[in-house]
Amino acid sequence: MANEIWTIKRCLEWTKEYLAERGEEHPRLSAEWLLCAATGLARIDLYMRMDEALNAAQLETMHAAVVRRAKGEPLQYITGSTQFRMIDVACAPGVLIPRPETEMLVEEVLNYLDAEVLSPEAAARQCVELPWNDEVEQARKAEAALADERATAERRAANLTAADEAALGSDVLGSRAYAEELADREAERAASQAAEAEAMETPEPELDEYGIAIDGADQETASAQDAAAPAPAEPRTARVLEVGCGTGCISLSLAWERRGHVACTATDIEPRAIDLATKNRDALGLTSGEVAFSLTNLVSSIPHDEWGTFDVLVSNPPYIPTDVMRSLPHEVKDFEPDLALEGGADGLDIFRRLLNAAPYMLRAGGLFACELYEGALDAAAELCRQAGLSDVRIVRDLTDRPRIVRAIVTEPKQRQ
C-alpha cells in the first residue's frame, strides 16, 4: 500500500465508503473536512485537484484522522478548528465545540445592541450569511459547478460550432449567447461606473432652507458656520459580560463584528477554555482591551466598581438535564466535557445563578440572554418574570425548538 498512488479523488472516495460502513451520518462531508485538514486545501480546491497525489506526510495525517473519526471523535477536535459566523475558531478536547444555535444567540445580542446602545453608524454592518445550510448539499453543488466548468473548457477547446451548441442546448455555459450576454453586462457595468465617476466630479450644490442653491461666498459662510458647530458626541462603547466563554466564540464574534464599538469581558472556570479563547483572540488580532478573558467561577472576578455597568450579560451555560445526558450522541457524551454540558436535574442550575447575578451586573435596560435546553425555556422565562425582569421572550432555533431566553433588567440592584 505504501507504494500505491493515493490521489485526492481516491482518498476521498475510500474515506467516504469507510466511514459510511461505520455509521457516519454524513460520510462525504466528513471525508472532505479531514482531507482539507490533511492537505491544507479549501474544499473547492479538492475538486479542482482531484488527480493530485498525496505525499507521505499527508497520507499519515489522513490515516490517523480517519481512525479517530471512525471511533466517533468530533471532526472539530480532529481538524482543530471550526467556523463560527464570520470567524474561524480553534477547537480542542476539553472545551465545548461551538454550535449553530449559539450563532443565533450572538445575533440576538447584536440586534439588541444595534437598537438600544450603538449609534446607527456603529450598527451598520454587512449582512452575514450564517453557515446554516446543509453542507452536504453545498458540496454537491460545488461538484456540479466544477463539472460544468470542465465541460465548458472542453467545448471551448474543441471550438464547437453554432450547430454543435444548438444540439447541446441553448443554456449551455460558454455558448455564444452566454458570451454575448456577459459582454452586454460588462458594457452596462462600465457605463454605470462612468456615470458614477462623473457625478462624483460634479458635486451637488448646497441648498438653503428654501431649497435655493448657495453659491460662492455664501457657501464659504455656510462652511465656516458648520466648522464652528460643536462636534457630535462620540458614541459610547457597548459593554458585554459573557459567562462560560469556552472557545470565546461569542465574545470574539461580538467584538469582531462591531469592532471599535463593543468591549467584552468573558469568564470561564476551565483553564483550557481560557487558554484556547486567548489563542483565538490573538489569531484574530483582537486586543485584551476588546476582549478580556478571566479564569473564575461565573462573575466572581468582576470588580465591584464594574457592577451595574454592563449592557449585556450573555451565556451559553451547561444546560443539559442530568437524565438527558445519558441519551446524548456518542461523539458528544464520550468526547465533550461534562462540565460544559450538564445543567442539573432540570438543566437550569447555572441559569438560576446567572439570573441572580444579572440585576447586579447590568445597568437599567440591560439585556440578559441565555441559550438553554429546549424543554426548559418555559420554566426559565417564568423564573425571569418572578425575578422582576421585563420584556421576557423565548427565541426558537432553526428546527423551530425553543432555544434562547432573553429579558430586560429594569431595576438594577446594588450590593449591600
Side-chain angles (χ1 to χ4, degrees), residues 149-161 164-165 173-174:
E149 291 177 9
R150 286 177 171 171
T152 298
E154 292 171 359
R155 288 195 295 275
R156 286 174 174 165
N159 295 318
L160 294 180
T161 65
D164 292 329
E165 290 179 0
L173 182 65

Side-chain angles (χ1 to χ4, degrees), residues 131-353:
W132 292 339
N133 295 328
D134 187 334
E135 298 211 20
V136 177
E137 179 65 12
Q138 290 179 9
R140 187 196 64 76
K141 289 180 178 178
E143 196 170 356
L146 178 61
D148 284 344
E149 291 177 9
R150 286 177 171 171
T152 298
E154 292 171 359
R155 288 195 295 275
R156 286 174 174 165
N159 295 318
L160 294 180
T161 65
D164 292 329
E165 290 179 0
L168 287 169
S170 60
D171 61 345
V172 173
L173 182 65
S175 67
R176 289 185 176 83
Y178 182 79
E180 290 170 1
E181 181 182 348
L182 287 181
D184 290 342
R185 291 180 188 173
E186 187 61 33
E188 291 175 2
R189 188 181 301 111
S192 175
Q193 291 173 347
E196 291 175 1
E198 183 177 353
M200 291 178 64
E201 293 174 1
T202 309
E204 291 291 329
E206 187 175 353
L207 304 180
D208 63 16
E209 58 183 313
Y210 302 105
I212 300 174
I214 303 174
D215 57 10
D218 290 338
Q219 287 198 29
E220 293 178 4
T221 301
S223 297
Q225 291 174 346
D226 290 342
E234 286 291 324
R236 74 178 181 87
T237 299
R239 303 196 72 230
V240 175
L241 172 60
E242 180 191 1
V243 177
C245 64
T247 62
C249 59
I250 294 176
S251 288
L252 295 175
S253 289
L254 293 171
W256 181 260
E257 294 185 39
R258 297 295 182 279
R259 190 155 195 185
H261 302 285
V262 174
C264 299
T265 297
T267 71
D268 204 291
I269 198 172
E270 169 57 63
R272 288 175 292 182
I274 294 297
D275 290 344
L276 186 61
T278 302
K279 173 184 174 182
N280 283 324
R281 180 191 67 196
D282 295 344
L284 288 169
L286 294 169
T287 67
S288 58
E290 294 172 296
V291 183
F293 294 111
S294 176
L295 178 64
T296 190
N297 184 16
L298 301 181
V299 299
S300 299
S301 67
I302 306 302
H304 285 169
D305 60 0
E306 294 186 22
W307 288 25
T309 66
F310 292 98
D311 298 291
V312 175
L313 194 166
V314 61
S315 182
N316 175 22
Y319 61 66
I320 305 298
T322 303
D323 288 344
V324 178
M325 287 288 294
R326 291 189 287 271
S327 61
L328 291 176
H330 165 58
E331 69 175 66
V332 176
K333 179 176 58 178
D334 295 334
F335 290 94
E336 296 197 66
D338 287 354
L339 183 64
L341 292 168
E342 187 170 357
D346 62 357
L348 296 175
D349 281 4
I350 301 299
F351 173 80
R352 288 185 177 88
R353 298 173 66 184

